[in-house]
Amino acid sequence: MNLLKTEDSITTEERLAPGYSRRLLKNIASLWKSTALNDINIVVCNRRFPAHKCVLAAASPFFRAMFSSGMEEQNKNDVHLHEVPASIFQTILSFIYSGIYAFGEAHSLPSLKRQSELFVEKHFVEASKGEEFSLLDWETVLSILGSERLHIERESQVLEAALQWVMHDLPMRRKMLLQLLNQVRIKLVSHKQLFEIIDLCDDHGIKVALTKFASPSQTFKSINSLGQYLDVHCPNKCSEPRQNAKKYIYVIGGFSRNKNSFVSSISTLDSIERFDVYSRTWQSFCGMSNPRSSHGYAVLDRKIVVAGGEDASLISDTVESFDPDENVWTSLPNMQNPRYGLAVVSVDEVLYAIGGYVGTQIGGNIEMFDSVKREWKILDEMPKPRFSLAAVEYEGLIYIAGGLSEMYIESDVVESYNPITKEWCSLSYLKTPRAYHSLVALNGFLYAVGGFNEFHGSLKSVERYSIENNEWEDVSCLQISRAGAGVTVLNKKIYVFGGRSQDAELYGSNSFCSSLTLSSAECYDPATNLWSKLPDMSYERCETGAIVL
């Protein structure tokens, strides 16, 4: 019985709308898991498998014939299959809805298996938490955990995945633990992360093994299926992060003007630079379709999205996305309003464009991008319209701070917004009113970094907001005052790139100076409350964007 047929072709539609097929499959799988809109039960060996007739028919010629050729099953709510075991049908159904590795492995389909491996590698954090990952065989898990291509935020996530797989069938898998752990780059797992994982582990033997594994002086042995000890290589001593680990920061667009230029001599940039935080090197990538500064930016569907901004005093409504893996830009639908000085935030794979200078006035609304209908729509109004504001998402809420008010005065207003309930909440004011600053979230705190204030010019000050206590406090200042810098968070540190500064020492002068655009960068470690210098960018950039992917 041929329940499933595969094809390797890529449709024209997929080329025109990259990622659409995967998003569609993800949404269909979500409907199936929630049993929403199910209209058929496939009964196999007395087990019921809820499904959708149209999905089964689209995926399988067998079901297409059953439901569209006048067969008696066409009008039934329950259909019985007698020629396939329940376990095999579960695998087939899972593949139809979500595309799983196990199907390609079980049926010896190399192309499908490789595509599944690539999917698991690219979505490792989510995939490793699923039931399917726990059911993978030993050789497959070993291969995946050792892959250079895992998309991870930190190496401890690989350790957590290895332990989850072992704990799923501890009596049978305990003997494989140390070989799996040898795939973990233990030097990249901090002692704090390691001992947090040890504390959460319920098995004493694994706790002991992990503790010994953290010490390079220990001798390791594992047990084979006969109960005999086998030598195990010493812990993985590789100190280089995986190729696709989260170690890159992309700095996008902005404008440039050096200290010898007139105000009118401003160049808007379309270029992108990528900073490798481990090698501390810069690399250039394919530029945007349109130069832009004061634009919004966020991550959606593992791509960088930029929206709005301005070039040569022209305000843009265009939106485009960048796939770093392909080094390609793709146009997305335009916003309803042209905006610059806006903030763009991604919450649960939904984009929100907030405030900004809209057309000829300060914008007071929020646009939302519907990725299914592929259109922007007005979602809500802001209590206080602002532009050159800063916003960040944290635990499902959008936090908005500062900006320029309708009177073109720097604001100290801070608010949180729930995009689901559309509720606004006023929070404690900033200690220093500011615009052209950045807002980032880290470990339960928000950090307002740099910016501009009419009375102080470009700002060195950084203040931190406790979400729990609703209080702001000052932390260590930037090494250089910066307005319009690109700011982001990676590996529990804050990275700051470019901006414009009025620091007199940059000019070799003791007097107040007009703004100089910067190529310099610096990094803040909250654990030490210290800033450190980073290598300069290739370009001076102001009103730029920085984002981790």
Side-chain angles (χ1 to χ4, degrees):
M1 177 166 53
N2 183 14
L3 294 180
L4 187 67
K5 180 162 51 177
T6 63
E7 295 180 358
D8 287 331
S9 61
I10 301 175
T11 64
T12 301
E13 289 81 0
E14 179 65 16
R15 292 193 186 96
L16 294 177
Y20 174 76
S21 298
R22 189 174 65 79
R23 292 194 299 272
L24 177 63
L25 198 59
K26 179 180 178 181
N27 291 336
I28 292 173
S30 177
L31 288 174
W32 173 55
K33 290 177 182 178
S34 65
T35 69
L37 305 178
N38 289 346
D39 57 1
I40 188 68
N41 290 310
I42 306 298
V43 183
V44 183
C45 301
N46 295 322
R47 285 185 60 187
R48 269 186 169 76
F49 296 92
H52 306 85
K53 288 182 180 178
C54 61
V55 174
L56 297 181
S60 163
F62 173 84
F63 286 117
R64 187 183 304 119
M66 177 182 289
F67 298 136
S68 62
S69 302
M71 298 174 64
E72 63 180 65
E73 288 89 349
Q74 184 171 343
N75 298 315
K76 288 185 175 182
N77 293 325
D78 289 355
V79 171
H80 293 258
L81 295 182
H82 305 286
E83 301 176 27
V84 59
S87 60
I88 295 298
F89 185 75
Q90 172 70 68
T91 302
I92 293 172
L93 196 61
S94 294
F95 174 74
I96 287 174
Y97 278 93
S98 56
I100 59 170
Y101 181 96
F103 184 84
E105 175 72 16
H107 295 272
S108 299
L109 301 175
S111 176
L112 177 58
K113 176 181 174 182
R114 183 63 195 127
Q115 289 301 312
S116 299
E117 285 177 337
L118 291 172
F119 180 87
V120 171
E121 290 168 351
K122 190 163 187 178
H123 303 270
F124 177 77
V125 177
E126 303 96 318
S128 64
K129 295 176 182 177
E131 178 72 12
E132 297 296 340
F133 184 84
S134 297
L135 298 176
L136 292 176
D137 62 84
W138 150 252
E139 289 83 4
T140 298
V141 172
L142 196 67
S143 173
I144 290 173
L145 296 184
S147 173
E148 190 70 32
R149 295 178 295 273
L150 295 184
H151 285 247
I152 55 175
E153 297 176 1
R154 57 187 185 277
E155 187 67 20
S156 61
Q157 291 170 328
V158 182
L159 175 58
E160 291 167 345
L163 294 179
Q164 176 189 314
W165 185 86
V166 170
M167 294 298 292
H168 185 78
D169 188 1
L170 187 57
M172 294 298 297
R173 296 176 177 178
R174 182 189 296 275
K175 59 181 176 287
M176 307 169 185
L177 174 64
L178 293 181
Q179 287 97 328
L180 283 178
L181 293 182
N182 196 45
Q183 303 304 313
V184 180
R185 302 182 181 188
I186 200 67
K187 281 193 172 184
L188 299 180
V189 180
S190 70
H191 274 80
K192 180 180 178 182
Q193 292 170 339
L194 179 59
F195 285 106
E196 284 177 351
I197 292 171
I198 291 173
D199 288 342
L200 292 173
C201 181
D202 295 327
D203 184 84
H204 177 72
I206 292 180
K207 284 177 177 283
V208 172
L210 287 175
T211 303
K212 290 183 177 180
F213 199 78
S215 172
S217 63
Q218 297 292 333
T219 300
F220 297 95
K221 290 184 178 292
S222 188
I223 304 172
N224 67 10
S225 59
L226 300 176
Q228 299 169 326
Y229 283 94
L230 300 173
D231 288 331
V232 177
H233 294 299
C234 59
N236 192 324
K237 294 183 177 180
C238 181
S239 59
E240 292 294 320
R242 297 170 195 260
Q243 177 180 315
N244 290 332
K246 267 196 175 178
K247 57 179 179 176
Y248 297 130
I249 300 173
Y250 294 82
V251 185
I252 307 161
F255 73 79
S256 178
R257 178 177 65 86
N258 65 40
K259 63 183 179 182
N260 298 316
S261 299
F262 293 103
V263 173
S264 59
S265 179
I266 290 176
S267 299
T268 308
L269 305 173
D270 63 2
S271 60
I272 297 180
E273 297 182 68
R274 186 178 77 180
F275 182 64
D276 186 321
V277 298
Y278 293 100
S279 68
R280 296 168 64 88
T281 56
W282 288 96
Q283 181 181 356
S284 296
F285 277 75
C286 179
M288 295 179 285
S289 302
N290 303 295
R292 56 181 94 211
S293 64
S294 292
H295 47 290
Y297 51 91
V299 171
L300 180 68
D301 193 25
R302 299 189 182 276
K303 297 179 179 65
I304 298 170
V305 176
V306 295
E310 67 171 329
D311 176 28
S313 299
L314 297 176
I315 305 175
S316 174
D317 60 359
T318 63
V319 184
E320 52 187 319
S321 70
F322 176 66
D323 185 341
D325 293 335
E326 302 293 335
N327 196 22
V328 170
W329 285 91
T330 303
S331 294
L332 294 177
N334 293 353
M335 295 183 292
Q336 290 202 7
N337 298 302
R339 301 171 184 261
Y340 82 91
L342 72 159
V344 174
V345 175
S346 176
V347 183
D348 295 329
E349 292 295 299
V350 178
L351 288 180
Y352 299 89
I354 304 164
Y357 203 92
V358 179
T360 58
Q361 60 185 0
I362 296 178
N365 60 32
I366 298 177
E367 289 190 48
M368 181 186 80
F369 180 62
D370 187 327
S371 59
V372 176
K373 295 182 179 180
R374 294 182 64 77
E375 64 180 17
W376 291 87
K377 61 182 180 181
I378 302 296
L379 175 68
D380 205 352
E381 297 293 322
M382 300 174 65
K384 300 181 185 299
R386 282 168 282 169
F387 76 103
S388 296
L389 70 165
V392 68
E393 181 272 341
Y394 188 75
E395 294 186 346
L397 296 179
I398 300 173
Y399 291 87
I400 303 167
L404 288 169
S405 69
E406 291 176 300
M407 301 299 293
Y408 291 84
I409 297 173
E410 290 82 14
S411 173
D412 58 4
V413 171
V414 183
E415 298 158 321
S416 68
Y417 177 66
N418 187 323
I420 305 301
T421 64
K422 299 184 180 180
E423 293 177 295
W424 290 89
C425 180
S426 295
L427 305 174
S428 291
Y429 294 135
L430 289 162
K431 293 168 68 85
T432 301
R434 60 186 77 212
Y436 302 100
H437 59 298
S438 292
L439 192 68
V440 293
L442 177 59
N443 292 341
F445 293 94
L446 307 182
Y447 291 80
V449 182
F452 184 88
N453 179 285
E454 180 181 3
F455 299 102
H456 303 287
S458 55
L459 299 173
K460 281 187 177 181
S461 65
V462 180
E463 45 189 304
R464 180 174 72 177
Y465 173 76
S466 169
I467 295 175
E468 180 180 358
N469 299 325
N470 190 29
E471 293 177 350
W472 288 93
E473 64 177 344
D474 291 321
V475 297
S476 182
C477 290
L478 291 158
Q479 295 178 340
I480 301 172
S481 68
R482 299 174 189 269
V487 183
T488 192
V489 170
L490 178 59
N491 296 335
K492 299 184 179 180
K493 295 181 180 179
I494 298 173
Y495 290 80
V496 181
F497 303 93
R500 63 180 184 272
S501 180
Q502 294 170 319
D503 287 2
E505 57 265 30
L506 297 175
Y507 294 81
S509 166
N510 294 321
S511 60
F512 186 80
C513 304
S514 60
S515 293
L516 169 69
T517 52
L518 304 171
S519 61
S520 63
E522 50 187 302
C523 175
Y524 175 72
D525 186 346
T528 61
N529 194 31
L530 294 175
W531 289 90
S532 58
K533 191 178 186 316
L534 298 173
D536 287 0
M537 298 181 290
S538 301
Y539 296 90
E540 297 174 353
R541 296 176 186 270
C542 176
E543 296 182 24
T544 185
I547 201 160
V548 172
L549 188 61

